Structure formats: C-alpha cells, structure tokens
Amino acid sequence: MPLSLRFLLPLMLVVGLFAYAAVPLADTLMLRWFVRDLDTRSSLIASAVSEPLSGLVLTGSTPRIEQFFQRLTQDERLYAVGLCVAGRATPIATPEFPSDIACSSLRTHAGAAKAIIRGANGMLHLTVSPIDAGSAQPAQLAILHDMSFVERRSEETRRYLYAFFAVLAFLVALITVVVAQLSWRGWVNGLRAILRGEGIFRPAGGTVATPELRPIAGDVRELIRELEERYRPRDEGQLSWSAASVKAIVEREPGGGDVIVVSNREPYIHVRKADGAIGVQHPASGLVTALEPVMRACAGTWIAHGSGTADRETVDKHDRVDVPPGESAYRLRRVWLTPEEESGYYSGFANEGLWPLCHIAHVRPVFRSSDFAQYRAVNAKFADAVVKEARTDAPIVLVQDYHFALLPRMIRERLPNATVVTFWHIPWPNPEAFSICPWRAELLDGLLGSSILGFHTQFHCNNFLDTVDRTLEARVDRETFDVSFAGHATAVRRYPISIAWPPEPLARQWGVGHARAAVRERLGVGADVRVGVGIDRLDYTKGILERFHAVGRLLETHPEWVGRFTFVQIAAPTRGMIADYRDYASRAKALADEINQRFASSGVAPIRLIAEHHEADAVYEYYRAADVCIVSSLHDGMNLVAKEFVAARDDERGVLILSQFAGASRELPEALIVNPYDADQCAAALQRALTMPEDEQRDRMRLMRGLLREFNVYRWAGRMLMDAAAIRQRRKLGRRSRETAHAA
Ligand code: F6P
C-alpha cells in the first residue's frame, strides 16, 4: 500500500466514526432546542388567548369558539387547537385536530405538560394549558404545533455536518501528507548525511546536520556495520576480512604464532623536535600504511631500520620498543646502520640501482659493487636480528620489499623451518631489463629462499618467472606458478595489496563539508573554486611533472577554469641524498612556478606545491576536500594513494584520475584511467572530472568502495598467511610420512 494511503485510510476512518457519533448528538440537541421554543410559544399563545377564550366558554357557543380557533390557526406553524370543557368527551377543535385525541387523554397532559406525538402528516408538538373560565366551567386548551420543519432542518443539518466532516478530513489528510512528505525528505537527507559522515562532527560531543536525528545517528551507523558484517559475501570460506580474521589465522599456528616482519622503513620514527621534546612521525610509505594495521592484529615483532633522531633514546637495552606509542600492540625492533651502510645499501644499491631498474621511469640505474657489498652486509645484519627475535625455530617471517632480496636465503640457511613470505612492493621488470643488473643471479637466489614470493599483479609474477627461467638453472612450473631451485620450492603468487577498511584516520575526520571549507580557507580561495589533489613522495616515478603539465593544458584548452580551479600537490620530501631526487624536486618547483606565472592574472594559483611531510589526518582532510584526485604514476606496483582517496570519500563524491601504469588501475577501472605521458588526454580527463554529474561520481565511487571493502589489507595479509599455513601443514605431513617410512 502506498505510504500516503497508510496515513489517509486510518485518518478517514476516524473522521467517519466521529461524524457517525456527532450527527445523532446534533439531532438530539436540535430537537431539544426546538421543543423548548415551541413550549414557550405555546404558553405565550395560551396566555394570550386565555381571556377571550374564557369569555367564549362562558357563552357556551361552540360555533363561536370554532370560529375563534379558525382565526388562531391561520399561523402556519400552529397546526390545530382543541378545547375540552366539562361534560364533553371530544374537544371543540379545528378540523386538523387528530380525531384519536379524546378529552380524557388530554387531561393527562394538563398543566405545563407537553408531548411529541405522531400525526397523520408527521410529528406534532402538543401542550395542554388550563383555561380559567370560573370554577363551574374548568377547561383545557390543547395547542398542536407542526414539527415537520424540525425533521426538514435536521435532515439539512445532517447533510451539512457530513459535508463539513468530509471537507475537514480532506484538509487534515492533505496537510498531513504534505508535512509528512517534507519531513520525510528532510529525514532521508539527514540519514544520508549521517551515513556519509557529513554534518556529523565526529569527535565526542559532536552534532548532526538534522538535529532530530541526533539520538539515532550512532544506532544507524552501528546497524549498518552489523548488516555489512552479516551480508558481506564469502571469500574462500572466510566471511569479511578484518583484523580479527588475520588474528585468528595467526593464533591457529602452533604456539599462538611467531610472526616477524622485516622492512627497511619503520612504522614509528622518534624524532628530537626543535623544542627539545621527543615526537613521533609516521612515514609517508605505502608499505607502512598497509602493514601497520596487520601487525596490530598479529601482535608480533617488526624489525626495521632505526632512522629517527631520537630512536636510540626510546628503545630498551635489546633495541626494542612497544608500539603504537601508548597502545603497545606489537614490538618494534630497531636495527642501527652506519652512514656508510645506509648510503651503500639504501641510497645506493636499493634506490639508485634496484628502484630505477624495476620502474620504467627512464632514469638510468646505477650499480656500484661497493653499494652491493653494503647491501649484502645489511641484509646479513637483518638476518641476525630475525634469528635473535624468533621465539621458535619455525617463525613466519614476512620480508618486505626490494631492500631485502638476499634476506630470504639467509634466513632459510639459519632457520630452515621458518616460513619466509617475501613481498615485492614494486614492479618486477622484464628479463631483458633485469639482466643489466650485475648481481642478478645472486638476487634471484636470495629471493628463492622464500616459501612464498608475492607481487601485486599477475604481470609482475610472470615477469619474475621469465626472469628466473632466463637466469637460473631452476624448474619453473607455469601451471602452479612454483619455482624449484636448489632443492627448495617457492610459490610465486599475486597478492594485490590494499589498505585497512575502514581506514583508521577516517574515524578522526570531520564531515566533508567541514574539510572543504577548512582546505579552501587554508588555500585562500572561495567556496566556488574547484580543488584537485595529489599526495605523493617527491619521487620521479610518481608523474608529478606530468600532472602539472595536464593542469596547464586544461587551463589552456578550457580557460573557463582559470581562477576557478587549483591543484594542490602534497609532496613528501624523500631520498634527498640522491641527486636524481634533488633534481626532480627542483624541476617540479620550477614547472609549478612557470605554470602559475602563466595564469598569474586570475589571482588563483593553478598549482600549489607543498613539499612537506603531512601526517595521515591532514592528508585525509585534503582527500575529503578535493573534487578530484590525480594519481599519475609513470610506473607503480600498486599505489595506495588511489585507494586511500576512495576510502576517504564516504560521501561517495569526488573523481579519481588514475594512471594506467599503476597496479591499482587493474582493481579500480571506475576511475578515469589515463596515460600520464599524454598531457592532452590527462587534461581532458580533468575536464571530465570537473564536469562529472554527481550521480555518476556516486556510481563510480560506490563500485570502487565496494571493492576496497572486500579486498582490504586484511585479505592481503590473511591470504598470504593462509597460504603459509598450508605450506607448513604440507611440510609437516611430508615429515611425518618420511618418519613412518623410516620406522617401517
Ligand atoms: O613503493 C615501495 C616503497 O617501499 C613503498 O612501500 C613506500 O611507499 C616507499 O617505497 C618508501 O620509500 P622510502 O622508505 O625510501 O621512503
């Protein structure tokens, strides 16, 4: 039944019942008023005629009395008159006087008594009054009034009443429906705002856009979370992937799980601030963004390079510190590097050699044997730390990234029962490209010490298999994607990395409206100015120059945006000891200046290059304030900025422009996919993004958000850990059957 009918039918029913009860009541009241009027009228007539009539009675002349009565009844209301005198059984009366009324029955009405009787033509009002004609001639005057007009009026009143109630019901219904519709729209918009996080000041004691919904805002969010949990589709026997599911997988391991993560970059950097106090920095690193929530769930040990200026002051005597600060969910074990080690292993071999080797960004890799020697030494140093931190002889060691290609083999040699899961966060090049590395065989040998080797995309897995095939005497199984080398098997698998869902910084964000206003105020532009954002390390692989060119091209081809669009590039300084990076930073600044100069007259700078580190909360505010986010990597393993932007937009608005050369483009096809080298195409994508209808933005965002919810970082880690558990199980079964065979 339509919603309005659900309001209207009961309303009509109640009004109908009301009318049904009110009409008889009105009838009774009207009758009472008319009878009272007729009583008064009758007694006035009786007293007026009393004197002449008593004279006529004394004459005893019936015809004269009849004549008198004839004159009297010329009043149309006065229906009939009769007079009973002593000695007569029937009254002297006008012809209309009902023949069935005898004097004997009239006497019962003597005095002021009245009655309503039914005559031949309808209801009659009867009063009987004594006429004083001397004690010898007692007489009663009967006056009959016609009451048919009462019935007519009652009928008319009833009709009016029914019409009145019908009109009343209609008006009440109309007002109810209109008010309900207006309130309904307000509530629906309010609920939408609650669901999108708009208008809700999330920090404690906050307010809601539609104040009457404030009491239910929390409950609605809770309900949605519950429903999401309940109806999220199954994935490999696992309901939704959350921190709890990863924790459960780890806890199923013997001894409750002995998980060790190794990465170069540490998740928490303690720094000595200008005022002398110690502060904590969160690095701009996709690896850290992804792994940190996983480690909170696993409660293991994270081994990383201690690079902060106050790192040494905050560890215990075993170089350990519990993190996150104040929460102590897991342990961070810091490894110290000398400046020579850092320069050779990190800046040199990892970032001047492997980084440009693996990324197609047309920056030439530099290979120095001194750097590789440091790389080998630092990998061995981390292997020592792993052995020291392992609580059992069979830990699960999650080795991260291109800084540690030699580490898996080193761990395998020292902890043969360990399960080593290595994840390569950057692209893997084709065999020709990789073959220029002088230590290619040693690197591959190191990686094949892993039980599992993961990449973001199948393309990179295939490149790796081809490279092994070309470089080593190994058995490459193209059906199972396993490599057997030196008596050991490595499973090469695709695990697309992601972010935690919901992302932690989102919980601390204010509504989107608040973020838009705050960012525009900070930029000094009006509310009508469209804002684009890019959030990256200032790295030549990120295509920052290319997106600046695209902004310039947009303003050339669509001058209507001059003064109405600004692009904010948050660029975290990175790898500053490498000349290519320093050079890239100055080229980015020069290009931004040049474009700003070109459009200076508008008063709104087309490009704001902010080359400073920003913490996650500030970054999320930019994501939420932006109309468009550009990720224009020239080559990227995955790129989590693209995923973070989508995750930040719980209002389902904003457009993502995404490079076809970022791994994320395989998972987010609803973004506007571009070739960053094609400035015209990127400018057209910007134009499309800035003019995209809200419905389309919502549809695209919804699809991308749905994917991220499912394919979150817990799934990434959970699938690797489940595969690791299966390998361990297989190994255990193999050992048991060997022992049985031996015993037999
Ligand atoms: O992309 C590979 C990667 O390790 C990312 O995880 C991270 O974003 C970046 O490089 C970190 O760079 P660095 O630790 O050198 O600052």
Side-chain angles (χ1 to χ4, degrees):
M1 189 192 301
L3 193 62
S4 41
L5 270 191
R6 276 188 242 163
F7 275 109
L8 294 187
L9 284 185
L11 192 74
M12 296 291 194
L13 195 71
V14 169
V15 173
L17 285 174
F18 217 77
Y20 187 72
V23 168
L25 188 72
D27 262 2
T28 315
L29 277 177
M30 270 182 44
L31 186 63
R32 201 175 294 161
W33 292 333
F34 284 128
V35 166
R36 204 180 301 151
D37 283 355
L38 290 176
D39 282 350
T40 314
R41 197 166 192 263
S42 297
S43 67
L44 282 174
I45 293 172
S47 65
V49 303
S50 174
E51 209 182 309
L53 195 56
S54 55
L56 288 173
V57 169
L58 286 177
T59 63
S61 168
T62 301
R64 284 182 63 192
I65 292 173
E66 283 172 349
Q67 262 176 16
F68 180 72
F69 281 172
Q70 282 296 338
R71 281 199 307 274
L72 199 61
T73 52
Q74 273 164 10
D75 176 340
E76 59 168 29
R77 292 261 184 88
L78 199 54
Y79 180 71
V81 188
L83 183 74
C84 284
V85 293
R88 282 190 69 112
T90 55
I92 307 164
T94 53
E96 289 79 15
F97 200 89
S99 54
D100 55 341
I101 301 181
C103 282
S104 54
S105 61
L106 266 188
R107 274 178 204 115
T108 60
H109 297 289
K114 75 249 176 204
I116 295 170
I117 58 172
R118 183 148 290 281
N121 299 322
M123 281 199 320
L124 298 172
H125 175 268
L126 167 68
T127 56
V128 180
S129 316
I131 297 293
D132 186 12
S135 55
Q137 295 287 346
Q140 266 92 32
L141 174 66
I143 301 174
L144 281 165
H145 272 98
D146 180 8
M147 283 188 77
S148 61
F149 78 98
V150 177
E151 284 176 301
R152 276 198 311 278
R153 283 195 189 166
S154 158
E155 183 57 42
E156 231 168 79
T157 312
R158 216 173 290 150
R159 271 205 306 274
Y160 280 127
L161 269 178
Y162 280 131
F164 168 76
F165 276 112
V167 171
L168 182 71
F170 175 75
L171 285 178
V172 171
L174 191 70
I175 292 168
T176 310
V177 169
V178 170
V179 171
Q181 285 284 355
L182 292 178
S183 312
W184 182 255
R185 263 182 229 163
W187 292 332
V188 169
N189 288 339
L191 269 179
R192 283 210 183 111
I194 288 175
L195 302 185
R196 288 196 300 260
E198 267 175 26
I200 298 177
F201 297 161
R202 291 217 182 106
T207 58
V208 177
T210 315
E212 61 268 32
L213 296 179
R214 189 182 316 169
I216 62 162
D219 290 347
V220 170
R221 288 185 158 270
E222 185 59 40
L223 180 67
I224 287 167
R225 262 196 297 280
E226 265 175 36
L227 291 175
E228 277 179 353
E229 286 296 319
R230 195 174 315 160
Y231 295 112
R232 207 170 280 175
R234 287 173 175 274
D235 181 86
E236 296 168 18
Q238 178 84 35
L239 275 176
S240 65
W241 286 94
S242 62
S245 19
V246 172
K247 191 165 184 231
I249 296 170
V250 171
E251 282 173 355
R252 278 203 294 270
E253 286 294 316
D258 181 10
V259 177
I260 299 173
V261 165
V262 185
S263 75
N264 170 69
R265 188 60 65 201
E266 57 182 340
Y268 296 93
I269 307 175
H270 285 101
V271 287
R272 177 71 60 193
K273 296 193 289 190
D275 63 1
I278 292 180
V280 179
Q281 255 190 19
H282 306 87
S285 158
L287 179 157
V288 170
T289 305
L291 264 181
E292 215 278 330
V294 173
M295 272 310 273
R296 285 180 192 230
C298 293
T301 301
W302 186 328
I303 303 174
H305 170 212
S307 58
T309 47
D311 272 356
R312 284 182 194 263
E313 296 163 65
T314 43
V315 291
D316 64 13
K317 62 176 190 301
H318 302 290
D319 299 326
R320 297 171 184 149
V321 56
D322 285 346
V323 288
E327 274 179 64
S328 304
Y330 61 94
R331 172 186 292 169
L332 172 60
R333 160 70 198 277
R334 284 177 173 143
V335 173
W336 313 115
L337 300 182
T338 63
E340 296 73 36
E341 283 172 333
E342 195 178 342
S343 159
Y345 136 86
Y346 173 74
S347 300
F349 191 70
N351 287 323
E352 284 186 276
L354 289 180
W355 182 266
L357 177 74
C358 293
H359 289 94
I360 308 171
H362 311 286
V363 171
R364 189 188 162 121
V366 178
F367 294 115
R368 302 180 197 96
S369 51
S370 55
D371 288 346
F372 188 65
Q374 293 292 5
Y375 185 84
R376 192 188 288 125
V378 171
N379 271 242
K381 208 172 199 177
F382 274 81
D384 286 345
V386 170
V387 173
K388 279 204 192 96
E389 293 303 323
R391 286 190 288 108
T392 63
D393 73 330
I396 300 173
V397 188
L398 305 175
V399 176
Q400 306 300 311
D401 232 350
Y402 60 100
H403 309 91
F404 297 113
L406 303 179
L407 183 59
R409 173 72 60 205
M410 292 173 177
I411 297 172
R412 170 123 347 272
E413 279 165 2
R414 298 180 61 184
L415 293 171
N417 292 328
T419 307
V420 182
V421 182
T422 303
F423 193 81
W424 195 261
H425 288 258
I426 62 176
W428 188 274
N430 66 43
E432 286 77 20
F434 191 75
S435 69
I436 68 168
C437 176
W439 300 282
R440 56 192 176 280
E442 197 172 337
L443 292 174
L444 291 175
D445 173 73
L447 285 170
L448 290 174
S450 313
S451 318
I452 298 174
L453 174 58
F455 296 94
H456 294 298
T457 67
Q458 192 56 48
F459 187 67
H460 298 151
C461 292
N462 296 346
N463 272 354
F464 179 79
L465 293 184
D466 291 345
T467 308
V468 171
D469 221 3
R470 285 273 189 96
T471 318
L472 298 179
E473 289 290 325
R475 192 163 67 80
V476 176
D477 188 327
R478 303 256 173 198
E479 210 178 317
T480 60
F481 291 97
D482 290 334
V483 177
S484 297
F485 180 67
H488 171 77
T490 301
V492 178
R493 298 282 183 276
R494 164 184 170 263
Y495 303 102
I497 203 169
S498 195
I499 54 171
W501 187 275
E504 200 229 352
L506 192 57
R508 295 189 294 271
Q509 290 295 309
W510 296 55
V512 164
H514 187 274
R516 290 180 71 88
V519 164
R520 279 163 180 74
E521 193 186 320
R522 195 174 309 142
L523 298 174
V525 297
D528 58 326
V529 171
R530 302 299 193 86
V531 172
V533 292
I535 315 267
D536 305 84
R537 287 180 306 103
L538 199 30
D539 192 301
Y540 54 77
T541 59
K542 300 297 178 185
I544 294 170
L545 302 186
E546 284 70 11
R547 76 186 69 155
F548 287 179
H549 281 302
V551 171
R553 195 82 190 101
L554 170 81
L555 300 183
E556 280 163 19
T557 51
H558 293 276
E560 68 271 22
W561 291 115
V562 176
R564 289 181 53 226
F565 174 70
T566 189
F567 182 77
V568 185
Q569 177 64 52
I570 305 292
T574 184
R575 305 175 188 171
M577 19 342 183
I578 301 173
D580 280 324
Y581 282 82
R582 290 196 300 274
D583 177 44
Y584 191 70
S586 9
R587 280 165 55 210
K589 185 173 178 321
L591 181 59
D593 288 348
E594 188 261 300
I595 294 172
N596 287 341
Q597 202 61 46
R598 227 184 316 150
F599 300 97
S601 58
S602 75
V604 173
I607 294 172
R608 321 283 173 118
L609 173 59
I610 310 175
E612 284 165 24
H613 172 78
H614 284 59
E615 289 288 325
D617 289 359
V619 167
Y620 269 70
E621 188 177 56
Y622 276 106
Y623 286 144
R624 289 165 73 75
D627 297 292
V628 54
C629 174
I630 310 185
V631 173
S632 53
S633 310
L634 304 182
H635 203 191
D636 220 330
M638 175 56 71
N639 193 296
L640 293 185
V641 167
K643 293 190 173 182
E644 281 182 340
F645 173 67
V646 171
R649 298 314 295 260
D650 54 4
D651 63 333
E652 298 179 338
R653 295 293 182 281
V655 182
L656 174 65
I657 296 181
L658 178 57
S659 162
Q660 67 186 82
F661 305 121
S665 65
R666 314 282 191 285
E667 291 183 79
L668 303 174
E670 295 79 20
L672 300 183
I673 305 293
V674 293
N675 172 0
Y677 292 94
D678 184 343
D680 286 337
Q681 189 200 38
C682 293
L686 261 172
Q687 167 66 10
R688 177 138 185 244
L690 293 173
T691 52
M692 187 180 283
E694 293 218 330
D695 276 4
E696 188 180 342
Q697 295 180 29
R698 188 199 56 227
D699 292 347
R700 287 171 182 267
M701 268 291 169
R702 221 173 249 179
L703 283 167
M704 294 193 282
R705 290 174 61 77
L707 179 123
L708 291 188
R709 186 184 300 124
E710 290 302 316
F711 292 80
N712 58 32
V713 77
Y714 302 114
R715 185 179 195 272
W716 173 76
R719 285 188 54 229
M720 279 194 293
L721 289 169
M722 277 167 56
D723 289 349
I727 286 174
R728 286 156 86 85
Q729 194 63 26
R730 248 177 265 135
R731 212 165 42 205
K732 205 192 288 173
L733 287 174
R735 236 185 347 249
R736 204 177 296 160
S737 51
R738 274 197 302 277
E739 280 164 13
T740 316
H742 188 68

